[in-house]
PDB file of all heavy atoms in Angstrom:
ATOM      1  N   TYR A  21     -46.608  83.423 -75.590  1.00  0.00           N
ATOM      2  CA  TYR A  21     -47.255  84.667 -75.233  1.00  0.00           C
ATOM      3  C   TYR A  21     -47.776  85.475 -76.417  1.00  0.00           C
ATOM      4  O   TYR A  21     -48.463  86.465 -76.231  1.00  0.00           O
ATOM      5  CB  TYR A  21     -46.287  85.542 -74.434  1.00  0.00           C
ATOM      6  CG  TYR A  21     -45.997  84.964 -73.083  1.00  0.00           C
ATOM      7  CD1 TYR A  21     -44.850  84.217 -72.852  1.00  0.00           C
ATOM      8  CD2 TYR A  21     -46.910  85.123 -72.051  1.00  0.00           C
ATOM      9  CE1 TYR A  21     -44.588  83.672 -71.611  1.00  0.00           C
ATOM     10  CE2 TYR A  21     -46.648  84.581 -70.812  1.00  0.00           C
ATOM     11  CZ  TYR A  21     -45.495  83.855 -70.591  1.00  0.00           C
ATOM     12  OH  TYR A  21     -45.256  83.328 -69.359  1.00  0.00           O
ATOM     13  N   ALA A  29     -50.699  89.469 -76.042  1.00  0.00           N
ATOM     14  CA  ALA A  29     -51.988  89.352 -75.350  1.00  0.00           C
ATOM     15  C   ALA A  29     -51.749  88.980 -73.897  1.00  0.00           C
ATOM     16  O   ALA A  29     -50.736  88.372 -73.555  1.00  0.00           O
ATOM     17  CB  ALA A  29     -52.861  88.302 -76.022  1.00  0.00           C
ATOM     18  N   VAL A  30     -52.696  89.368 -73.049  1.00  0.00           N
ATOM     19  CA  VAL A  30     -52.648  88.986 -71.643  1.00  0.00           C
ATOM     20  C   VAL A  30     -53.121  87.540 -71.530  1.00  0.00           C
ATOM     21  O   VAL A  30     -54.210  87.195 -71.999  1.00  0.00           O
ATOM     22  CB  VAL A  30     -53.549  89.910 -70.793  1.00  0.00           C
ATOM     23  CG1 VAL A  30     -53.575  89.424 -69.350  1.00  0.00           C
ATOM     24  CG2 VAL A  30     -53.065  91.346 -70.861  1.00  0.00           C
ATOM     25  N   ASN A  31     -52.311  86.711 -70.914  1.00  0.00           N
ATOM     26  CA  ASN A  31     -52.670  85.302 -70.729  1.00  0.00           C
ATOM     27  C   ASN A  31     -53.189  85.123 -69.301  1.00  0.00           C
ATOM     28  O   ASN A  31     -52.421  85.223 -68.346  1.00  0.00           O
ATOM     29  CB  ASN A  31     -51.442  84.418 -70.984  1.00  0.00           C
ATOM     30  CG  ASN A  31     -51.765  82.941 -70.826  1.00  0.00           C
ATOM     31  OD1 ASN A  31     -52.922  82.543 -70.911  1.00  0.00           O
ATOM     32  ND2 ASN A  31     -50.740  82.147 -70.587  1.00  0.00           N
ATOM     33  N   MET A  32     -54.495  84.882 -69.142  1.00  0.00           N
ATOM     34  CA  MET A  32     -55.103  84.789 -67.822  1.00  0.00           C
ATOM     35  C   MET A  32     -55.632  83.382 -67.568  1.00  0.00           C
ATOM     36  O   MET A  32     -56.206  82.756 -68.458  1.00  0.00           O
ATOM     37  CB  MET A  32     -56.238  85.794 -67.679  1.00  0.00           C
ATOM     38  CG  MET A  32     -56.816  85.868 -66.271  1.00  0.00           C
ATOM     39  SD  MET A  32     -58.016  87.211 -66.084  1.00  0.00           S
ATOM     40  CE  MET A  32     -59.334  86.608 -67.121  1.00  0.00           C
ATOM     41  N   ARG A  52     -55.028  84.498 -62.226  1.00  0.00           N
ATOM     42  CA  ARG A  52     -53.600  84.733 -62.458  1.00  0.00           C
ATOM     43  C   ARG A  52     -53.440  85.220 -63.890  1.00  0.00           C
ATOM     44  O   ARG A  52     -54.196  84.832 -64.764  1.00  0.00           O
ATOM     45  CB  ARG A  52     -52.786  83.449 -62.260  1.00  0.00           C
ATOM     46  CG  ARG A  52     -52.926  82.797 -60.904  1.00  0.00           C
ATOM     47  CD  ARG A  52     -51.896  81.676 -60.726  1.00  0.00           C
ATOM     48  NE  ARG A  52     -52.131  80.916 -59.510  1.00  0.00           N
ATOM     49  CZ  ARG A  52     -52.703  79.727 -59.460  1.00  0.00           C
ATOM     50  NH1 ARG A  52     -53.094  79.155 -60.584  1.00  0.00           N
ATOM     51  NH2 ARG A  52     -52.881  79.096 -58.319  1.00  0.00           N
ATOM     52  N   TYR A  53     -52.448  86.070 -64.111  1.00  0.00           N
ATOM     53  CA  TYR A  53     -52.208  86.530 -65.482  1.00  0.00           C
ATOM     54  C   TYR A  53     -50.705  86.617 -65.733  1.00  0.00           C
ATOM     55  O   TYR A  53     -49.893  86.683 -64.809  1.00  0.00           O
ATOM     56  CB  TYR A  53     -52.862  87.895 -65.728  1.00  0.00           C
ATOM     57  CG  TYR A  53     -52.059  89.066 -65.217  1.00  0.00           C
ATOM     58  CD1 TYR A  53     -51.146  89.728 -66.055  1.00  0.00           C
ATOM     59  CD2 TYR A  53     -52.176  89.511 -63.907  1.00  0.00           C
ATOM     60  CE1 TYR A  53     -50.391  90.788 -65.580  1.00  0.00           C
ATOM     61  CE2 TYR A  53     -51.434  90.565 -63.433  1.00  0.00           C
ATOM     62  CZ  TYR A  53     -50.532  91.217 -64.282  1.00  0.00           C
ATOM     63  OH  TYR A  53     -49.781  92.258 -63.808  1.00  0.00           O
ATOM     64  N   SER A  54     -50.341  86.609 -67.007  1.00  0.00           N
ATOM     65  CA  SER A  54     -48.950  86.779 -67.414  1.00  0.00           C
ATOM     66  C   SER A  54     -48.902  87.669 -68.639  1.00  0.00           C
ATOM     67  O   SER A  54     -49.818  87.666 -69.463  1.00  0.00           O
ATOM     68  CB  SER A  54     -48.301  85.422 -67.707  1.00  0.00           C
ATOM     69  OG  SER A  54     -49.029  84.734 -68.703  1.00  0.00           O
ATOM     70  N   SER A  55     -47.838  88.467 -68.747  1.00  0.00           N
ATOM     71  CA  SER A  55     -47.677  89.387 -69.870  1.00  0.00           C
ATOM     72  C   SER A  55     -46.212  89.785 -69.970  1.00  0.00           C
ATOM     73  O   SER A  55     -45.489  89.800 -68.970  1.00  0.00           O
ATOM     74  CB  SER A  55     -48.553  90.633 -69.664  1.00  0.00           C
ATOM     75  OG  SER A  55     -48.231  91.633 -70.611  1.00  0.00           O
ATOM     76  N   PHE A  56     -45.778  90.113 -71.201  1.00  0.00           N
ATOM     77  CA  PHE A  56     -44.417  90.605 -71.405  1.00  0.00           C
ATOM     78  C   PHE A  56     -44.245  92.022 -70.869  1.00  0.00           C
ATOM     79  O   PHE A  56     -43.164  92.447 -70.511  1.00  0.00           O
ATOM     80  CB  PHE A  56     -44.072  90.602 -72.906  1.00  0.00           C
ATOM     81  CG  PHE A  56     -43.449  89.316 -73.346  1.00  0.00           C
ATOM     82  CD1 PHE A  56     -43.741  88.789 -74.603  1.00  0.00           C
ATOM     83  CD2 PHE A  56     -42.587  88.622 -72.525  1.00  0.00           C
ATOM     84  CE1 PHE A  56     -43.171  87.607 -75.024  1.00  0.00           C
ATOM     85  CE2 PHE A  56     -42.019  87.433 -72.934  1.00  0.00           C
ATOM     86  CZ  PHE A  56     -42.303  86.921 -74.188  1.00  0.00           C
ATOM     87  N   ILE A 122     -53.562  95.473 -70.433  1.00  0.00           N
ATOM     88  CA  ILE A 122     -52.292  96.186 -70.310  1.00  0.00           C
ATOM     89  C   ILE A 122     -52.079  96.959 -71.605  1.00  0.00           C
ATOM     90  O   ILE A 122     -52.329  96.450 -72.708  1.00  0.00           O
ATOM     91  CB  ILE A 122     -51.130  95.217 -70.044  1.00  0.00           C
ATOM     92  CG1 ILE A 122     -51.369  94.480 -68.712  1.00  0.00           C
ATOM     93  CG2 ILE A 122     -49.795  95.953 -69.988  1.00  0.00           C
ATOM     94  CD1 ILE A 122     -50.325  93.457 -68.370  1.00  0.00           C
ATOM     95  N   ASP A 125     -50.382  95.401 -74.583  1.00  0.00           N
ATOM     96  CA  ASP A 125     -50.963  94.158 -75.100  1.00  0.00           C
ATOM     97  C   ASP A 125     -52.245  94.448 -75.866  1.00  0.00           C
ATOM     98  O   ASP A 125     -53.129  95.166 -75.390  1.00  0.00           O
ATOM     99  CB  ASP A 125     -51.260  93.177 -73.965  1.00  0.00           C
ATOM    100  CG  ASP A 125     -49.982  92.673 -73.309  1.00  0.00           C
ATOM    101  OD1 ASP A 125     -48.920  92.798 -73.941  1.00  0.00           O
ATOM    102  OD2 ASP A 125     -50.057  92.177 -72.179  1.00  0.00           O
TER     103      ASP A 125
END
Side-chain angles (χ1 to χ4, degrees):
Y21 292 98
V30 175
N31 181 21
M32 187 173 68
R52 303 190 188 102
Y53 81 92
S54 57
S55 169
F56 269 143
I122 298 177
D125 293 341

